Amino acid sequence: ILQDFKGALTATDQLSLLFQPRMDLRTGEIGSAEALLRWDHPVLGPISPVEFIPVIEASSFARQLTDWVVDEALSNLASWGAHGLHFKLSINLSAANLDEQDFFERIMSKLSNYMVRPDQIELELTETVMMKETEGAFGLLDKLKSAGFQLAIDDFGTGYSSIAYLQKLPADVVKIDRSF
């Protein structure tokens, strides 16, 4: 997986994003969508994100993967906006992103390039990632939130944190794990 991923990043037919719409049950309208990464390997066929994402996030390709996903997601969001479709798009981040000194500047630059506002983006982090109690991680999350991004904890209940711990996190949305 790791050996073939570098080629997948530059190929035009292997990595793709699917967009899962989220419907407001009160209005019946699509208010947001979540970007979901998929990899169609030329030999192995479709590889589950559960199999490849942890491997990539633990490698030197984590930064490149995030950049690819953010660029692709923002490109689609900008295109939809140009056609009159306006909604919030949710993008998953990895723990490695919280350790990148230039992450905030990179994502703000990408938003500017695609003419997308921070309030159009929800950044999803898993409960485990949000529990990284480093000054840098909380500082980055606070900076992102102050810039207008919505922060969400994905799959709450799959880790070891308690409901009381939620008060410490700078998140706007908590998504409960279905098996919780």
Side-chain angles (χ1 to χ4, degrees):
I1 286 176
L2 192 57
Q3 193 171 18
D4 292 346
F5 193 74
K6 184 176 183 178
L9 281 168
T10 57
T12 59
D13 61 347
Q14 291 188 44
L15 296 178
S16 62
L17 290 182
L18 299 179
F19 299 94
Q20 179 176 307
R22 295 183 187 151
M23 181 185 295
D24 183 328
L25 296 176
R26 290 172 284 148
T27 65
E29 294 181 16
I30 303 297
S32 65
E34 180 175 0
L36 304 171
L37 180 63
R38 297 296 182 256
W39 183 9
D40 190 13
H41 190 280
V43 175
L44 302 174
I47 301 176
S48 168
V50 174
E51 292 179 48
F52 77 88
I53 289 177
V55 173
I56 303 308
E57 286 182 342
S59 78
S60 62
F61 292 117
R63 179 184 175 105
Q64 291 170 281
L65 174 61
T66 297
D67 284 344
W68 188 93
V69 168
V70 170
D71 280 325
E72 190 71 16
L74 295 180
S75 173
N76 278 277
L77 191 60
S79 177
W80 297 328
H83 289 91
L85 298 171
H86 302 283
F87 51 86
K88 188 177 296 270
L89 186 60
S90 183
I91 302 169
N92 291 290
L93 296 183
S94 77
N97 299 133
L98 298 182
D99 293 330
E100 296 168 357
Q101 296 296 319
D102 66 339
F103 180 78
F104 181 80
E105 290 75 18
R106 281 194 355 258
I107 198 164
M108 293 305 288
S109 176
K110 290 177 184 299
L111 289 174
S112 178
N113 290 344
Y114 292 102
M115 294 184 285
V116 171
R117 298 181 323 272
D119 66 349
Q120 294 175 268
I121 304 297
E122 175 183 79
L123 298 173
E124 283 192 26
L125 300 114
T126 62
E127 173 186 356
T128 307
V129 171
M130 291 290 270
M131 288 175 62
K132 277 185 82 162
E133 288 194 56
T134 65
E135 186 176 316
F138 274 142
L140 174 59
L141 294 173
D142 287 335
K143 200 171 181 181
L144 290 165
K145 188 171 179 174
S146 294
F149 291 93
Q150 184 173 14
L151 301 178
I153 303 172
D154 196 15
D155 294 333
F156 184 80
T158 59
Y160 301 101
S161 59
S162 68
I163 298 294
Y165 184 76
L166 290 176
Q167 295 174 335
K168 295 172 66 176
L169 301 174
D172 302 295
V173 176
V174 177
K175 298 174 182 183
I176 306 294
D177 176 49
R178 289 183 287 269
S179 63
F180 180 62

